[in-house]
Amino acid sequence: MDEVEVVVAHSERATLRVGDVFLKVDADQARLDVEVEAMALAPVPTPEILWRKPSVLAVAALPGATLGRLGGPSTGSPAAWAAAGTAIRKLHDAPLPPRPGRAGRSISALAAELDDECGLLVTNGVLPADLVRRNRQVAEAALRPWTPAFTHGDLQIAHVFVDDGEVTGIIDWSEAGQGDALYDLATFTLGHEEHLGDVLAGYGTDVDLDVIHAWWSLRSLLAVRWLIEHGFDAFAPGCEVDVLRSRM
């Protein structure tokens, strides 16, 4: 009998693996709705949906492996990272989905959330004030007008599978929607800055590197407290706090 593997679990959602089947359990049915809709529209490989019931989505495992994880060693050749960049560009060039995604928050709403979070990080003694202040300055470059693109919204490297230099699938689409394309590129290269050039070579167009750096800082600032509160270690080597320190 196959064992049940807990891939990730916290109070909002959990993903379990049983053999070649992944079961996604989500307290918010709307996130699963977005995921199914986005996978149907995305012009890149996605997992096969096996069945769906209220609050649970079953999808098939993908061939290949991810390029690593945040806080862990990166794997894959430069060609594999470039292939991921090509797939991301194909997604961003696709017709827009019908709704905003995680990467599509308004500039004013994002700035207000960022300022509130920076205040809490300092007031609660989570991070030093100078570290927060410097990264808030860096993050400012992301708060600018952008042209909407079809974005994944949570494009961590653990969500992109590659085999023999080709992308075999992209998972976890619950944050997908219209948004800032550079948010996806920054999320994918977070903590693996050494591969940004390979990804952009595959992406095939010039991007504003200051905005990529800004999103690294912004995403990390917004994530630290949530990660701690949900049992994850943002202070682990190579993770969000190290990303923030790298901007000093």
Side-chain angles (χ1 to χ4, degrees):
M1 180 180 293
D2 290 319
E3 294 183 350
V4 176
E5 174 191 354
V6 179
V7 179
V8 63
H10 50 77
S11 60
E12 295 178 2
R13 66 187 87 170
T15 300
L16 312 175
R17 180 171 187 168
V18 185
D20 288 333
V21 177
F22 286 86
L23 300 176
K24 302 192 67 175
V25 184
D26 201 315
D28 184 351
Q29 181 66 40
R31 280 195 292 254
L32 291 182
D33 294 340
V34 169
E35 181 152 11
V36 170
E37 178 183 71
M39 287 195 292
L41 295 173
V44 295
T46 60
E48 177 190 359
I49 296 176
L50 301 176
W51 51 263
R52 182 184 181 193
K53 295 182 180 295
S55 300
V56 182
L57 179 67
V59 298
L62 291 168
T66 67
L67 293 174
R69 60 179 177 81
L70 183 62
S74 58
T75 59
S77 64
W81 284 87
T86 300
I88 295 169
R89 177 64 184 273
K90 187 174 182 180
L91 174 67
H92 290 167
D93 285 346
L96 293 176
R99 68 191 86 205
R102 180 69 176 170
R105 289 164 289 176
S106 71
I107 296 171
S108 58
L110 194 57
E113 181 183 357
L114 180 60
D115 288 339
D116 288 345
E117 191 62 31
C118 287
L120 289 170
L121 289 170
V122 174
T123 300
N124 295 338
V126 180
L127 293 176
D130 60 340
L131 182 65
V132 173
R133 185 181 309 111
R134 170 57 182 157
N135 278 276
R136 175 63 182 86
Q137 293 171 347
V138 173
E140 186 68 26
L143 304 175
R144 87 285 177 224
W146 40 268
T147 300
F150 190 153
T151 54
H152 180 279
D154 190 21
L155 199 63
Q156 304 172 46
I157 58 171
H159 293 163
V160 179
F161 285 73
V162 178
D163 188 28
D164 195 26
E166 294 186 3
V167 173
T168 57
I170 300 176
I171 64 172
D172 286 356
W173 292 82
S174 61
E175 307 287 355
Q178 299 178 28
D180 180 358
L182 298 195
Y183 179 90
D184 273 354
L185 289 171
T187 300
F188 187 66
T189 55
L190 184 73
H192 292 285
E193 184 172 355
E194 71 277 11
H195 290 293
L196 177 59
D198 297 327
V199 173
L200 294 182
Y203 194 72
T205 188
D206 291 335
V207 303
D208 190 332
L209 294 182
D210 286 342
V211 176
I212 297 288
H213 298 161
W215 275 122
W216 286 341
S217 290
L218 200 158
R219 180 181 170 93
S220 298
L221 286 169
L222 293 183
V224 169
R225 277 196 325 115
W226 185 95
L227 290 168
I228 294 170
E229 291 172 357
H230 288 79
F232 301 101
D233 187 3
F235 289 84
C239 291
E240 283 78 6
V241 175
D242 272 358
V243 171
L244 295 172
R245 289 170 178 154
S246 72
R247 297 300 106 194
M248 297 297 286

